[in-house]
Amino acid sequence: MTFRKSSDRFSYKDGNIDEVKNIISSFTTSVEASKPRFTTGNYRLDTVLECEQQTAEKHGLNIVFTEDSVFPESGIEADHIYTIFSNALDNALEAASRLSAPSDITFSSRIINNCVYICISNHFDGNIQISKDGLKTVKSDSTYHGYGYRSIKKCAAGYGTDNVHFEIKDDVFSLFMELNF
């Protein structure tokens, strides 16, 4: 069997139909692998989630975007989406990766009257330091670490007042945000 590629087309001549099926199957598999795993309604957030999911997989973790969650297509600045959600998910991944058994990071969101309510939850080892400004880094080098939560609060402040907080219940850390758009 010969296949000739010309102008991005393959021609089949005197060949085995099973080989053709295998080639088509490999194309299908390739296309399936490139489909987005997250469809939030906002392609920027989808990108952040996809990148963070790739990091999560390296640690045997998974980000679960709850089935009925949605996020506004517009109304929240792109750099704020990247800052808020990259920091929040990085923190969640770091905390969850310190556990002996892998656990999921759950991302849920709802839109009610031009406000998106977000919750990112993860299990953690109980090692957390709280200061008057919020959270402190547990890393020994605080020169370059420990700004994530403050960055989240600063970006989110433009979308409402006192709209970022966290709760700790047993071994679950939950970050809550309200963003008016």
Side-chain angles (χ1 to χ4, degrees), residues 6-159:
S6 67
S7 306
D8 292 330
R9 293 177 182 222
F10 289 91
S11 62
Y12 169 74
K13 185 177 179 183
D14 301 326
N16 182 333
I17 193 69
D18 290 331
E19 283 185 69
V20 173
K21 288 179 181 179
N22 287 337
I23 290 170
I24 292 171
S25 177
S26 72
F27 291 151
T28 305
T29 301
S30 178
V31 168
E32 288 297 317
S34 66
K35 282 186 178 179
R37 289 181 266 199
F38 301 98
T39 51
T40 66
N42 185 296
Y43 73 91
R44 291 176 178 100
L45 180 57
D46 295 348
T47 301
V48 171
L49 286 166
E50 184 62 39
C51 290
E52 296 293 338
Q53 176 61 33
Q54 290 174 10
T55 301
E57 288 171 354
K58 291 177 186 174
H59 297 285
L61 303 170
N62 192 36
I63 297 172
V64 176
F65 188 76
T66 58
E67 192 172 298
D68 54 347
S69 291
V70 292
F71 197 83
E73 182 179 349
S74 61
I76 299 175
E77 297 293 324
D79 57 334
H80 293 166
I81 290 171
Y82 296 125
T83 300
I84 291 168
F85 297 106
S86 291
N87 279 301
L89 291 166
D90 283 347
N91 290 347
L93 287 169
E94 184 177 329
S97 69
R98 289 194 299 259
L99 298 172
S100 57
S103 69
D104 289 340
I105 292 142
T106 305
F107 186 118
S108 60
S109 61
R110 306 280 180 278
I111 297 175
I112 302 171
N113 297 328
N114 290 337
C115 184
V116 61
Y117 298 85
I118 302 137
C119 177
I120 300 173
S121 297
N122 60 278
H123 288 270
F124 76 111
D125 63 7
N127 184 13
I128 193 165
Q129 295 180 16
I130 301 172
S131 71
K132 64 179 174 116
D133 297 328
L135 300 170
K136 290 176 66 175
T137 185
V138 296
K139 294 181 178 176
S140 59
D141 180 9
S142 61
T143 304
Y144 297 106
H145 300 285
Y147 299 102
Y149 183 72
R150 284 183 274 177
S151 296
I152 292 167
K153 285 187 70 95
K154 184 176 179 180
C155 285
Y159 301 95

